[in-house]
Amino acid sequence: MNKKTIINILLALVAVAGQAQTTDTLTVGMELKVQNVIGTNVFMYKCQTPESEFKGLPTDTASFRLYEQGGIVCILARDGKQKDSYFCAFDLNNDRDFTNDYHYYFTRKQIEDERYFIPQRYADIWLAPRIRLNGVAAHGGTVTSPLAFDELVPMLSVHDFFVGNFSHQGKTYHVCSAYDKNEFAVTDSIPANSDELARFLLQNSLLRKVQFPIILDSLIFRFLDINFSRQQCHVSITPLNDATAPVMPYEGFRAPSISAKDIKGKNVTLGNKYTLLDFWGTWCKPCISIIPELVDIHKRYPTLNLISVAVEGSMNDLPKLKKLTKELQMDWTHVCQLHSDTSSIASSFNVSAFPTTIIIDPTGKIVYRGSGSNSTDKMKAKLEEIFGE
C-alpha cells in the first residue's frame, strides 16, 4: 500500500469521524406561558356568566351549553354543518370571545368507537354513563352528571406550556414543554399568545414524547430534563447523518428492522421499495372496516409492498385469519403474531391501537403513521403524494 493510498484512507476516516460529531448540551431558560393549573379529570360546571356577554356563540341557544372551571369557560355545541357532529372550545385568553379560540371537532362515531379517538389538548369529553371518549372507563364506566349535554360532559385538563429559546450555529430555536405532559417541541418560531401557541403546536403536530427526539435542519434535538422551580431545561443537539439517525417507530425516523415468517412460512422483510404495514386483528371491527380500502390500495399501487400483521390472542386464531383473508380478497403478505410476544413486529413498532398503518420509504424512513379507521383518508392522501396520483 503506497503513501498516497494511506493518506486517502486516513482522510476518509477523519471525514467519518467528523460526521459523528460530539453532542452539544445546552441549558435553556424557560418562561411559563399558560397560567392555569387545573390538573386532570376535573368536571366543569354550568357557567354563571350570562350568555349575552360572550361572542362567537351559535344563534340557536338550544344547540350549545357553556361550562366553567377554574376561571376558564368552555362551549360544548352541536356542529350544524354535519349531523351528529360536535365541537368544544375553551376561552383560554379570557376575552369572552370564542371566535379566536381553537375549536375541537368530533362526531358520534368517534365517541362510540372508544378504541381510536384521542381527544385534543385541554379537553376530555365524557360520555355518560358508559365510557370516556379516549376509551378509558372510570370506575366501571358509571359516570353520570346532571349537567350533561346530549349525554356529553366536559372535563377540563389544562397543561401549562413552558417556552424558551436558544441559539445554535447562528440560528435561534424555540423549545416548548407541556407542564404535566412528557412532551416537547423545537421550532423555528413560536407565537407569543398562549392560545395561539396551543393552536400552533396542535395543528402542526409538533409535540413529541420526551423519549422521541426531534429532527430539524439536519440536527437531532433531545429534551433531557426540565426544572420547573429553576425554570430551565437541558437540550442536546447532535448532527444528523447515517451514523446518528435514530431508529424510532415514528414519522421522520428510521424504521426498526423486521424479521418474521408469513402465514405460508415465507420470510418477510421490508425490502427496498415503499412498504405499507397494516397492524390489525380478526377481533377488531374498525380494522375489518378498512379492509375494502386496503384491497383497493393493493390494486391501485402494485409496486407497494403491503404487509398485514395480525395481532391475535392465540395461534388457534390462525384458521380464522386464513379464512378471513381469503373471503375479503386480501391478496398480499400476512403475518400472525401474539399479543404476548414482546419480540413481535407490533412491539418493535410500539403499536397499541388498532388499526395502525405505517408507510416506510425505500431508504427505511417512516413517512406516515396513523391509527384508527378515521385516519384512512390521510393514509390514502400520503400514497397519492408518493405515487403521484
Side-chain angles (χ1 to χ4, degrees):
M1 187 179 293
N2 59 39
K3 183 176 180 181
K4 184 177 180 180
T5 302
I6 294 174
I7 292 174
N8 287 334
I9 292 174
L10 290 174
L11 289 174
L13 291 173
V14 170
V16 171
Q19 282 188 333
Q21 298 175 41
T22 304
T23 298
D24 293 328
T25 301
L26 303 180
T27 301
V28 183
M30 305 289 281
E31 176 188 359
L32 183 63
K33 282 293 184 183
V34 178
Q35 302 292 333
N36 300 287
V37 183
I38 302 294
T40 58
N41 301 344
V42 179
F43 277 105
M44 300 191 78
Y45 298 97
K46 182 178 179 182
C47 180
Q48 300 301 312
T49 305
E51 295 175 359
S52 58
E53 295 189 20
F54 291 91
K55 296 179 182 179
L57 300 179
T59 54
D60 180 8
T61 57
S63 68
F64 71 92
R65 183 170 293 177
L66 294 178
Y67 298 85
E68 67 180 343
Q69 176 63 262
I72 295 178
V73 178
C74 162
I75 180 175
L76 180 59
R78 302 186 193 100
D79 178 16
K81 299 178 182 178
Q82 184 177 346
K83 183 180 179 182
D84 294 331
S85 180
Y86 297 82
F87 72 86
C88 61
F90 293 84
D91 185 28
L92 291 177
N93 53 11
N94 296 314
D95 64 354
R96 299 193 177 184
D97 183 358
F98 289 104
T99 60
N100 56 12
D101 297 302
Y102 191 84
H103 285 54
Y104 307 101
Y105 289 88
F106 54 94
T107 65
R108 276 285 173 184
K109 177 174 172 50
Q110 289 171 317
I111 294 171
E112 290 165 1
D113 187 354
E114 71 275 23
R115 282 191 179 278
Y116 62 80
F117 183 77
I118 301 173
Q120 300 281 5
R121 184 170 303 284
Y122 295 127
D124 286 341
I125 306 299
W126 284 65
L127 176 64
R130 292 187 295 112
I131 58 170
R132 215 171 90 182
L133 225 110
N134 66 354
V136 180
H139 307 296
T142 56
V143 178
T144 58
S145 171
L147 301 174
F149 174 73
D150 288 1
E151 291 190 314
L152 298 171
V153 184
M155 296 184 69
L156 186 61
S157 179
V158 172
H159 309 293
D160 287 355
F161 287 115
F162 276 79
V163 177
N165 61 74
F166 58 91
S167 295
H168 183 73
Q169 296 180 348
K171 184 174 181 178
T172 299
Y173 295 92
H174 300 265
V175 60
C176 174
S177 172
Y179 181 83
D180 63 348
K181 290 283 187 180
N182 292 323
E183 298 174 334
F184 79 112
V186 175
T187 68
D188 295 311
S189 61
I190 205 161
N193 177 274
S194 295
D195 196 57
E196 288 296 323
L197 169 61
R199 188 194 311 248
F200 174 74
L201 294 170
L202 285 169
Q203 290 183 337
N204 294 283
S205 301
L206 294 176
L207 287 170
R208 290 266 190 188
K209 295 290 185 181
V210 294
Q211 62 265 39
F212 307 133
I214 289 171
I215 295 177
L216 181 66
D217 295 337
S218 296
L219 297 169
I220 305 170
F221 296 90
R222 287 182 171 86
F223 186 78
L224 303 179
D225 59 41
I226 185 168
N227 187 316
F228 294 112
S229 61
R230 293 185 179 182
Q231 292 191 295
Q232 67 180 28
C233 72
H234 291 94
V235 177
S236 71
I237 308 172
T238 306
L240 176 65
N241 52 56
D242 290 341
T244 61
V247 175
M248 294 278 180
Y250 295 92
E251 279 187 42
F253 303 110
R254 285 191 297 158
S257 61
I258 67 171
S259 179
K261 291 186 180 296
D262 66 12
I263 58 177
K264 296 179 181 179
K266 296 181 179 179
N267 291 327
V268 177
T269 59
L270 289 177
N272 57 357
K273 57 183 179 179
Y274 277 100
T275 297
L276 172 59
L277 290 178
D278 163 47
F279 294 92
W280 72 301
T282 58
W283 46 269
C284 173
K285 291 182 179 180
C287 302
I288 295 174
S289 72
I290 70 167
I291 288 175
E293 296 184 81
L294 291 175
V295 171
D296 180 64
I297 286 170
H298 183 55
K299 292 178 180 178
R300 184 175 299 182
Y301 307 112
T303 61
L304 177 67
N305 183 26
L306 179 51
I307 303 172
S308 284
V309 181
V311 181
E312 303 292 339
S314 167
M315 280 302 176
N316 293 331
D317 296 322
L318 185 57
K320 178 182 177 181
L321 171 64
K322 291 182 176 180
K323 181 182 178 182
L324 196 59
T325 56
K326 184 176 181 180
E327 289 177 350
L328 298 177
Q329 300 179 359
M330 301 169 70
D331 186 22
W332 56 82
T333 301
H334 293 275
V335 176
C336 183
Q337 296 183 323
L338 300 179
H339 276 289
S340 57
D341 185 0
T342 57
S343 63
S344 68
I345 301 175
S347 295
S348 298
F349 281 83
N350 200 23
V351 173
S352 58
F354 297 88
T356 288
T357 50
I358 295 172
I359 300 175
I360 304 168
D361 75 8
T363 69
K365 179 182 176 182
I366 296 176
V367 295
Y368 170 83
R369 177 174 178 137
S371 296
S373 56
N374 60 338
S375 67
T376 308
D377 288 343
K378 293 181 180 179
M379 175 187 66
K380 292 193 292 186
K382 187 63 182 180
L383 289 172
E384 290 174 2
E385 175 189 324
I386 291 170
F387 292 100
E389 295 185 18

